Amino acid sequence: MTSSPPDARTKLVIAALTIAAFAIGLDTFVIIGALDVISRDLGISTGAVGWIISIYALCYAVFAPLNAWMFKAMSRRNVQILSVSIFIIGNLICAVAPNFLILAAGRVISAYGAAMFTPAATALTAELLPPTRKGFALSLIFGGMTVSQVAGVPATSWIAGAIGWRFAFGFVVIAGLLALMIFAPMMSGIPAKMPERGKPTSKEFSKIIYGILSVTLFVVVSEFIVYSYVSVFITGFLLAGVPLLSAALFAYGFGAVTGNAACGVLTDRFGPYKVLIAAIGAQLILLVGLVAFGHHGALTVLIAFLWGNVSYMYLVPIQHRLLGLAGDRSKLVLAMNSSTTFAGIAIGAFLGGILVEISGVTSLAVASILIGLIGVGLAVAFMRDEAPAEAANAA
């Protein structure tokens, strides 16, 4: 990769990838804002709807590395177009699903498309910008996903409550179609294959990379034990009839955008380790605060905003570190990290459902803290010594 500034076409490609990431992000979290409404309409428990989040996440976890292997010979343009098309089809099925099983099947299909898109788009974006802006490049793809939190998740939550959860999935379909229309023409000038960048040593790959993946797993589980059930413990109204849940989700999403924008710059400046430790520590405190003050109006919204600022900050430092180690296996390693992320979402949503049913929402905060502290310990062990690997990779 050269260090020259990106040209106008490259900037357009990156912008198109970011828009597609918005649609994928909207698809990922649409269930969360509509969880209670789906539960009532289909006559199933809140915990069962939460398991649909787990189904999606587990399928993503399986499909991400599988797709990276299956489609390694396909051009990157075709991979991106096919992936977005598949996830649109999956969401169409969800929009017309008459029961739990059909809804789950639609989520499996949409997970397949999302698992194909995100690792490939992340690796491509990191390749298109200079190495000194790797953190910024990674933050762009996650920026598309966090913008979906601001504009999309509150919108789908409102749509689900006002006119039905099926229309929330229809909103996702429209976003996907718009992304595909903008995105497909922009990819024609991109080389079909990623340039070779060398291979990691066996020791690096087996020890450090798997250790970093374990950091991802525990941090994500810690977050999604709480996040998957925000509609259960954030209750009441803010003011003038505005539901507190919608306001809190909007504040969370807006905070995620500002935090993600800062994270790329901070990672490039201070390194992945310092940013990651600060983000995890702040998130644990704020998750407990959100559970404790989930019906306190403006205070709830403020905590949600602050949490949003740090909630995605673990993604960029971890992937920055992985790219520094992976060499020409970057697409596979990022797919493994995506797989681990969604395994964490599935485990978090599943465990959270059990805890809500058995012990109530207070237990969510306790579990989040305990699991998150394990993630901190793993981060100290595997993220701290990044300089030698980064220097060797740059050479």
Side-chain angles (χ1 to χ4, degrees), residues 129-170:
L129 288 177
T132 54
R133 304 188 71 194
K134 189 191 301 181
F136 175 74
L138 293 170
S139 71
L140 290 174
I141 292 298
F142 296 119
M145 294 182 176
T146 53
V147 169
S148 75
Q149 299 280 323
V150 174
V153 174
T156 54
S157 176
W158 179 83
I159 291 170
I163 58 176
W165 59 270
R166 299 179 190 282
F167 290 93
F169 280 104

Side-chain angles (χ1 to χ4, degrees), residues 252-291:
Y252 167 85
F254 187 77
V257 171
T258 59
N260 180 79
C263 185
V265 177
L266 292 171
T267 300
D268 286 334
R269 181 170 181 179
F270 297 107
Y273 175 71
K274 292 180 180 178
V275 175
L276 179 64
I277 294 297
I280 298 174
Q283 176 170 278
L284 292 179
I285 295 170
L286 291 165
L287 284 173
V288 173
L290 195 66
V291 174

Side-chain angles (χ1 to χ4, degrees), residues 54-249:
S54 296
I55 290 170
Y56 178 95
L58 283 172
C59 289
Y60 188 112
V62 172
F63 293 148
L66 180 64
N67 286 341
W69 175 76
M70 286 179 60
F71 297 100
K72 61 184 178 182
M74 182 180 286
S75 72
R76 288 182 287 180
R77 177 180 185 273
N78 290 342
V79 167
Q80 306 294 350
I81 292 173
L82 179 62
S83 63
V84 177
S85 300
I86 290 172
F87 113 89
I88 289 172
I89 293 170
N91 278 284
L92 278 172
I93 293 172
C94 291
V96 299
N99 53 48
F100 178 90
L101 290 178
I102 301 299
L103 178 62
R107 296 305 285 161
V108 170
I109 294 171
S110 59
Y112 189 91
M116 190 188 305
F117 171 84
T118 306
T122 303
L124 176 58
T125 304
E127 177 199 337
L128 292 174
L129 288 177
T132 54
R133 304 188 71 194
K134 189 191 301 181
F136 175 74
L138 293 170
S139 71
L140 290 174
I141 292 298
F142 296 119
M145 294 182 176
T146 53
V147 169
S148 75
Q149 299 280 323
V150 174
V153 174
T156 54
S157 176
W158 179 83
I159 291 170
I163 58 176
W165 59 270
R166 299 179 190 282
F167 290 93
F169 280 104
F171 182 76
V172 177
V173 169
I174 292 171
L177 289 171
L178 178 62
L180 192 61
M181 291 170 58
I182 299 172
F183 161 80
M186 293 292 102
M187 289 292 291
S188 59
I190 296 298
K193 299 292 181 183
M194 185 177 294
E196 297 290 321
R197 296 185 296 171
K199 295 183 179 180
T201 67
S202 176
K203 182 179 179 181
E204 285 175 331
F205 198 84
S206 62
K207 181 181 178 181
I208 302 176
I209 288 183
Y210 285 108
I212 294 171
L213 293 178
S214 70
V215 176
T216 297
L217 179 65
F218 280 91
V219 173
V220 173
V221 171
S222 173
E223 179 179 15
F224 275 83
I225 278 181
V226 175
Y227 184 37
S228 300
Y229 296 93
V230 291
S231 64
V232 176
F233 61 82
I234 296 182
T235 58
F237 295 88
L238 182 60
L239 53 86
V242 176
L244 183 56
L245 175 61
S246 296
L249 287 174

